[in-house]
Amino acid sequence: MEAKQRLSLDAKIALAVFVAVFAVYFFSLCPTIYPGPSAEAVCDVKGIGVIPPTAHPIWLILGRLFGHVSSNTAYVLNLLSALFGAGTIALLYAVLSQFSHIRTAEEEARYQTHPYLGQVVALSGALLVAFCYPFWEGSVLAGSDTLNTFFLVF
């Protein structure tokens, strides 16, 4: 498979992964404030109370920008976390699929594997991360966890 076709296929699969994972996160999204760190994150964005020094400033700025979209700030912030969670998984797929293409022509001839094996393995790895409980929980509740993982993968 040519590199140009492979890149196009990887981009289409990454977009499909983003849409599918975001749809699942959207339908399992917490509609209001969830007790715990999520409630503290919503209060930080609304400016209620003292913002701790460990708060993520970029997430607070994005939260304040997107918090004005709706009167239900908690839902919008949960949606923001879901967007970054789905973006993280799409980027993770792209990174994993690129790792599977690092082979010379000699290795390609020696190891005759299925041409789409790299995409299947990358997709499996990305979806395993997307639907493991800790990542899923962080993606449907307000907080900077998914923004941190997005920057980590990016």
Side-chain angles (χ1 to χ4, degrees), residues 45 49 87 107 125:
V45 168
E107 289 173 335

Side-chain angles (χ1 to χ4, degrees), residues 9 12 112 120:
L9 179 65
K12 289 175 186 174
Q112 295 181 358
V120 171

Side-chain angles (χ1 to χ4, degrees), residues 54-79:
T54 58
H56 202 294
I58 295 175
W59 192 84
L60 289 172
I61 292 169
L62 288 173
R64 287 191 180 171
L65 287 174
F66 286 102
H68 296 295
V69 171
S70 171
S71 61
N72 189 353
T73 306
Y75 184 73
V76 172
L77 295 178
N78 293 340
L79 193 62

Side-chain angles (χ1 to χ4, degrees), residues 86-138:
T88 299
I89 299 304
L91 284 175
L92 181 63
Y93 166 78
V95 168
L96 292 176
S97 69
Q98 289 304 312
F99 280 142
S100 69
H101 301 312
I102 303 174
R103 286 196 271 183
T104 62
E106 179 182 298
E107 289 173 335
E108 286 283 339
R110 191 156 115 212
Y111 304 113
Q112 295 181 358
T113 60
H114 193 276
Y116 299 112
L117 182 65
Q119 282 90 358
V120 171
V121 171
L123 183 62
S124 301
L127 292 178
L128 279 172
V129 172
F131 300 123
C132 72
Y133 180 73
F135 192 82
W136 190 331
E137 182 183 29

